[in-house]
Amino acid sequence: MRGFLPSEFAARTAKAQAKMAEADLAALLLTTEPEVRYFTGYLTRFWESPTRPWFLIVPAAGKPIAVIPTIGAALMGQAWIDDIRTWRAPDLDDDGVFLLIDTLNEVAKGGRVAIPHGHETHVRMPHASLTRIGEAVGLVSDEGIMRSLRMVKTDAEIAKVAEACAIAGRAFARVPEIADAGTSLEHIFRQFQMLCLEEGADWVPYLAGGAGQGGYGDVISPATDAPLAKGDVLMLDTGLVHDGYFCDYDRNWSVGPASTQVKDAFARLITAVDVAFDTAKPGVTAADLYHAMHAVLSNGAGDTDAGRLGHGLGMSLTEWPSLIPRDDTVLETGMILTLEPGIAVGDKILVHEENIVITENGARFLSPRSGRELPVL
């Protein structure tokens, strides 16, 4: 099924309002695409345009209220909410700010209005608009409410991510059709995105990777026209979208037979994932997963300087928490995480990534699990 039933959004809103009551909040003000979509199902690529701001208010009781440009009214009218207030945008003098302030005053009645606050949160409006709103109604931290809600997925959300993972799995299985010695990395990138679309992706907003002799230098550089050669390791890392939800995992291939050093490094990455998978269960922390993988990657030799080794996943490509030594977020049933160990191979690196969901009894793979041996093209 595409989208969600109204009951899904009603339940999310009720959970938010229960947390708001505990924090003595009269309203939540939300401005980013995932936040607005979380409570409404409002899915559109029009967010790519930075011209217009979009606002959603979650009141202490009742359905959310949209305060949006007129161009979005028809689509928002298909959502489960009833109160949609619009202005003609862009307006160079008042781009929805006074309409928003009036609505907040009506809803909050002098109570506290909160916005998401802290790491991995953003405010999507001009700074001048934020200042005017703050002066008019006062803005406080949401005390992590949005973070806590989005970290724990419902069964319906988990199904979306699982389908995105399955689509990527089918595309990864077809990589031998498009990649071999002599093929350029930029050609592989283009063709792989086509494979993702053919297999059912709605779009492919993220594709990274690398290729090089015995490994790659990084995993975020744009693809070049350099052809693959025997002895190269190719990695593709995709964050494709299905019905508004991401997968985020990678696969590696050796171009021709791999060296013993590369094979051993890849096997250690798989071991690190397996150890973290066995560790992942309700009650352990994000830091526990980091340390489980780090112990394998360092082979007991101390710090590997590996940075974070995974993160949350869902409506955004990367979400809270981060698998780092200082993140003490306690894992709960319904959290979706990436396990993303990396290892040095000489002056190159190898990275392997899988997607899992935390269940009552441990963890379950959402990405089709990789074998222990590095596949050969």
Side-chain angles (χ1 to χ4, degrees), residues 180-181 212-215 229-234 253-264 266 373-377:
D180 201 352
Q213 287 287 297
K230 297 292 185 181
D232 280 354
V233 177
L234 166 68
W253 297 263
S254 175
V255 183
S259 68
T260 299
Q261 185 182 26
V262 167
K263 290 179 180 178
D264 291 346
F266 182 76
E373 294 187 4
L374 183 63
V376 178
L377 295 172

Side-chain angles (χ1 to χ4, degrees), residues 91-258:
D91 185 322
L92 300 184
D93 298 317
D94 172 26
D95 219 11
V97 172
F98 285 124
L99 178 60
L100 177 65
I101 290 172
D102 287 345
T103 306
L104 286 170
N105 284 329
E106 173 191 329
V107 169
K109 296 179 173 62
R112 301 201 310 157
V113 177
I115 59 173
H117 184 267
H119 288 293
E120 298 190 19
T121 64
H122 306 87
V123 179
R124 190 182 183 275
M125 71 176 87
H127 183 266
S129 298
L130 180 63
T131 300
R132 288 163 69 187
I133 295 165
E135 291 173 348
V137 302
L139 294 172
V140 300
S141 169
D142 77 336
E143 301 187 20
I145 288 175
M146 280 306 303
R147 175 188 292 174
S148 65
L149 290 171
R150 288 185 56 199
M151 273 199 306
V152 180
K153 276 65 176 179
T154 64
D155 289 344
E157 289 183 287
I158 294 167
K160 304 290 186 188
V161 177
E163 180 58 24
C165 288
I167 292 167
R170 295 194 294 270
F172 279 132
R174 295 179 60 186
V175 164
E177 299 176 17
I178 62 170
D180 201 352
T183 309
S184 72
L185 189 59
E186 64 179 8
H187 178 79
I188 293 169
F189 269 42
R190 291 193 185 97
Q191 293 298 310
F192 183 72
Q193 291 177 80
M194 293 180 189
L195 291 180
C196 291
L197 294 172
E198 287 178 7
E199 294 298 337
D202 294 332
W203 57 84
V204 189
Y206 182 79
L207 176 61
Q213 287 287 297
Y216 26 87
D218 68 75
V219 295
I220 63 171
S221 293
T224 72
D225 60 0
L228 297 184
K230 297 292 185 181
D232 280 354
V233 177
L234 166 68
M235 188 274 276
L236 298 174
D237 179 359
T238 188
L240 63 79
V241 169
H242 167 71
D243 207 13
Y245 284 77
F246 280 87
C247 70
D248 180 22
Y249 67 100
D250 72 17
R251 289 296 179 259
N252 289 269
W253 297 263
S254 175
V255 183

Side-chain angles (χ1 to χ4, degrees), residues 33-79:
E33 190 275 341
E35 294 163 354
V36 172
R37 179 158 54 92
Y38 183 81
F39 289 108
T40 65
Y42 188 67
L43 179 61
T44 173
R45 298 300 299 277
F46 200 67
W47 288 88
E48 298 291 345
S49 169
T51 304
R52 302 166 178 86
W54 306 75
F55 308 112
L56 189 78
I57 300 167
V58 180
K63 293 183 180 182
I65 300 167
V67 182
I68 62 174
T70 304
I71 195 171
L75 180 58
M76 187 65 80
Q78 300 174 33

Side-chain angles (χ1 to χ4, degrees), residues 1-2 7 20 24 54 66 75 112 118-119 122 131 212 217 245-247 257 265 276 297 299 303 311 348 365:
M1 183 188 80
R2 286 280 174 165
S7 58
M20 290 166 61
D24 189 28
W54 306 75
L75 180 58
R112 301 201 310 157
H119 288 293
H122 306 87
T131 300
Y245 284 77
F246 280 87
C247 70
L297 300 173
N299 202 24
D303 194 359
H311 52 79
K348 302 291 180 66
F365 279 99

